[in-house]
Amino acid sequence: MMCMGTSSHVGKSILATALCRIFYRQGKRVVPFKAQNMALNSYVTRDGGEMGRAQVAQAEAAGLEPMVDMNPVLLKPTGNSCSQVVIMGKPVGNMSAREYHNGYSLKAFEAVKEALLRLEKEYDIIVIEGAGSPAEVNLKANDIVNMRVAKHLNAPVLLIADIDRGGALASLVGTLELLDEDERALVKGLIINKFRGDVSLLTPAIDFLEEKTGKPVLGIIPHIEKMGIDDEDSVSLQEKAFAREKADIQIAVIQTPKISNFTDFDALSNEADVSLYYVKETSEFGEPDIVILPGSKNTVEDMRYLAESGLKALIKQHSNHGKAVIGICGGYQMLGREIRDPYHSESESNGTEGLALLDIITVFAQDKLTNQVKADCNNLCFMGQKINARGLAGYEIHMGKTEFLGKNDSHPFIIKERSRQLCQAVEGTVCADGTVFGTYIHGIFDNDEFRRQVINSVRIRKGLLALPNTRNVLAEKQRNYERLADIVEQHLDMVKLKTIMGENDL
């Protein structure tokens, strides 16, 4: 079964996630799949392969360990119409949009077919997600993620439109009109997503759609508030909070142009005593208690953006006042004295100055390090408190190698395991006065006790009482998948879907 959309961000990945959980609850061996992702939010599998986060969420909903067969091609934009191309979890180089679409994409489709063949042998159902719109006529000849996949598998297609944006009927009719006849025949049903209000008022529109297109409307899915499911790409940042809400702890995440893995901060944003907001320019900075510099796909250019926008000066001023600054991956590198890129791994320049809040220098290598990790945090002296946490889970995605220069700085993280290999690697840096720290570990705030200790350190510095941890992020995710599946199953015609899929026992 394939979920396609009339455009980007209509809810394809969320509905695919819901279907994965629905079929999983029915006892089916179900697996998610997306041939090609273009996103800066990525994840590292247990074997060290890199893949898009949407299929990670779908795998979790299906009760599976994420693996690169679920997303064999990943494009990570680096700037100037150029992307790093990742095939089966490993980077194969940087390519311009023209180079990729006109020369390489059909070669990449061979990896797509091989991954599908392996999945077909192991699973009862493959829930496939498309990308953007299947009706982009300028991209169609070399497209490997939409109708080429559907035709390769002869998979029935659900076409999804977002009514919250307006123009959903026109989008559905127009998309079908632009498809070739054999492609149109594969579309077996229509779904209207993110509906608000009285569904009975939509009856005339549904009747029109079914008469005009000859396709059944399988469901009208309501707008779901606070789903708590990882977002696929930076488009969803538009829906995240930019206004500062009233809370004990204010956290500003700096939204650089090439921000990556912003899902690192979702667990923080869901704390009751935290207001987390994103900052693109100086007027949005406010008076945060913590500033976080996130990961970046182009650290050198994003560092220059901080300098040119005036955010660099504000961050340094914030730090000079004794307030907390945290950097994750590329943000950790920006906290140092200097970032060097001698091989032009990420940018066309040789490097740039950093914020000089940590006494480190980072030099980019030619090879990318991608690992799932397990680590301990030993005596992280942060904001006057000592943080200790064992068995932290996360992952690394970086090309930079960081050199420790500060005699008075400490390095509180010990990586005990990388991609299932035991090790004893010193990682991360905290400055001598304990107000600034950085780490390469993505997902570190998903660790409940560590996250709460970081927040409590700032609470105590502000004269507030420390709060106990009351959350389990992993359990919350599972509850969110259940809630999503309940809502979608209630509003989707499962009898018609069963008929479309040709399965009598769904």
Side-chain angles (χ1 to χ4, degrees):
M1 170 59 65
M2 188 161 192
C3 297
M4 289 192 197
T6 57
S7 69
S8 295
H9 210 53
V10 299
K12 297 183 294 292
S13 63
I14 290 297
L15 288 175
T17 304
L19 289 173
C20 283
R21 178 49 64 107
I22 289 169
F23 295 139
Y24 172 66
R25 296 195 303 198
Q26 294 174 355
K28 296 292 181 179
R29 294 179 303 161
V30 56
V31 64
F33 182 81
K34 186 171 183 177
Q36 173 188 290
N37 250 317
M38 177 174 276
L40 289 177
N41 266 0
S42 62
Y43 175 84
V44 175
T45 67
R46 185 176 298 201
D47 295 325
E50 196 172 359
M51 63 182 288
R53 286 212 67 98
Q55 281 60 61
V56 174
Q58 290 159 9
E60 291 172 348
L64 298 174
E65 176 90 9
M67 57 185 178
V68 295
D69 273 345
M70 300 171 182
N71 175 214
V73 182
L74 174 64
L75 305 179
K76 303 189 74 176
T78 60
N80 299 321
S81 299
C82 183
S83 292
Q84 182 183 62
V85 180
V86 180
I87 304 293
M88 291 304 297
K90 301 300 180 184
V92 298
N94 291 349
M95 300 182 194
S96 70
R98 182 176 296 277
E99 287 172 327
Y100 179 77
H101 288 292
N102 292 344
Y104 194 84
S105 64
L106 295 184
K107 294 179 183 178
F109 192 62
E110 294 303 312
V112 171
K113 291 190 291 186
E114 290 169 6
L116 280 169
L117 187 61
R118 288 188 289 270
L119 295 180
E120 283 185 294
K121 291 178 180 178
E122 294 293 328
Y123 296 94
D124 302 322
I125 300 171
I126 306 177
V127 176
I128 309 160
E129 181 187 340
S133 164
E136 302 291 349
V137 294
N138 57 312
L139 300 175
K140 201 170 185 179
N142 297 304
D143 172 65
I144 66 167
V145 65
N146 287 311
M147 281 300 175
R148 191 178 298 274
V149 173
K151 288 195 283 189
H152 175 71
L153 296 172
N154 194 32
V157 173
L158 304 179
L159 186 61
I160 304 158
D162 176 3
I163 199 169
D164 201 37
R165 295 181 173 189
L169 273 65
S171 297
L172 289 165
V173 172
T175 298
L176 288 166
E177 286 293 321
L178 289 172
L179 296 178
D180 295 337
E181 186 175 345
D182 60 336
E183 297 169 337
R184 200 156 44 242
L186 286 172
V187 178
K188 302 299 184 181
L190 310 178
I191 295 177
I192 294 175
N193 196 25
K194 305 181 189 179
F195 181 75
R196 304 172 190 258
D198 185 351
V199 72
S200 66
L201 298 176
L202 205 57
T203 300
I206 301 305
D207 294 341
F208 163 80
L209 266 180
E210 295 188 331
E211 183 178 351
K212 179 72 175 176
T213 66
K215 310 290 184 183
V217 175
L218 296 184
I220 301 167
I221 311 300
H223 189 279
I224 305 172
E225 297 287 348
K226 297 182 178 179
M227 281 185 288
I229 294 171
D230 286 346
D231 295 310
E232 179 178 30
D233 53 42
S234 56
V235 174
S236 57
L237 272 177
Q238 298 169 10
E239 297 180 358
K240 290 186 177 288
F242 288 87
R244 293 176 291 282
E245 299 175 355
K246 198 170 182 180
D248 290 341
I249 304 300
Q250 300 282 321
I251 301 179
V253 177
I254 306 300
Q255 187 183 346
T256 54
K258 293 302 176 185
I259 183 175
S260 67
N261 294 79
F262 59 83
T263 50
D264 282 343
F265 316 117
D266 287 350
L268 280 170
S269 69
N270 290 325
E271 292 288 345
D273 60 333
V274 167
S275 171
L276 185 144
Y277 59 98
Y278 287 81
V279 173
K280 291 190 291 186
E281 53 190 52
T282 56
S283 62
E284 300 169 339
F285 193 80
E287 296 183 1
D289 299 298
I290 306 173
V291 169
I292 296 180
L293 288 162
S296 168
K297 190 62 192 74
N298 194 322
T299 312
V300 171
E301 296 303 320
D302 275 353
M303 186 61 235
R304 287 180 173 165
Y305 168 80
L306 294 184
E308 293 167 2
S309 67
L311 285 168
K312 177 180 179 180
L314 277 182
I315 295 166
K316 288 180 73 72
Q317 180 181 338
H318 168 92
S319 179
N320 289 338
H321 289 161
K323 290 190 172 184
V325 181
I326 300 171
I328 304 295
C329 198
Y332 171 35
Q333 296 166 349
M334 293 181 210
L335 293 176
R337 289 188 198 172
E338 188 180 353
I339 304 164
R340 300 172 185 168
D341 193 1
Y343 302 105
H344 298 172
S345 300
E346 281 198 359
S347 69
E348 296 177 359
S349 69
N350 293 323
T352 187
E353 291 182 353
L355 286 157
L357 298 180
L358 292 177
D359 207 2
I360 58 173
I361 288 176
T362 299
V363 180
F364 282 110
Q366 291 177 295
D367 298 322
K368 183 189 289 189
L369 183 70
T370 56
N371 293 295
Q372 278 193 13
V373 300
K374 291 182 180 178
D376 291 340
C377 175
N378 299 321
N379 292 325
L380 167 55
C381 296
F382 181 59
M383 305 302 286
Q385 306 298 310
K386 284 189 177 181
I387 297 174
N388 288 280
R390 304 290 182 189
L392 300 175
Y395 55 98
E396 301 170 299
I397 311 175
H398 61 94
M399 301 180 80
K401 295 183 178 180
T402 295
E403 181 181 354
F404 304 142
L405 302 176
K407 294 180 180 179
N408 296 319
D409 294 347
S410 58
H411 310 285
F413 299 100
I414 303 295
I415 295 179
K416 311 296 285 288
E417 185 178 316
R418 276 190 170 122
S419 294
R420 294 187 275 191
Q421 298 295 315
L422 297 178
C423 63
Q424 286 284 326
V426 176
E427 204 282 312
T429 303
V430 58
C431 69
D433 70 1
T435 60
V436 181
F437 81 83
T439 176
Y440 276 117
I441 303 175
H442 288 287
I444 195 165
F445 293 118
D446 288 347
N447 295 275
D448 299 314
E449 289 298 334
F450 178 81
R451 180 182 64 254
R452 177 40 60 185
Q453 287 186 68
V454 169
I455 297 169
N456 280 343
S457 296
V458 179
R459 290 184 65 88
I460 293 169
R461 175 64 67 92
K462 290 185 69 175
L464 302 171
L465 291 176
L467 299 179
N469 175 59
T470 59
R471 296 178 57 211
N472 182 323
V473 166
L474 294 179
E476 286 175 9
K477 280 188 175 184
Q478 292 303 317
R479 288 195 294 271
N480 291 333
Y481 295 138
E482 286 292 306
R483 173 174 172 254
L484 171 65
D486 287 343
I487 293 171
V488 171
E489 193 169 24
Q490 179 185 349
H491 292 89
L492 198 60
D493 191 329
M494 297 302 296
V495 174
K496 285 184 180 178
L497 184 63
K498 176 177 68 175
T499 303
I500 287 169
M501 296 182 69
E503 296 277 354
N504 294 323
D505 57 347
L506 281 180

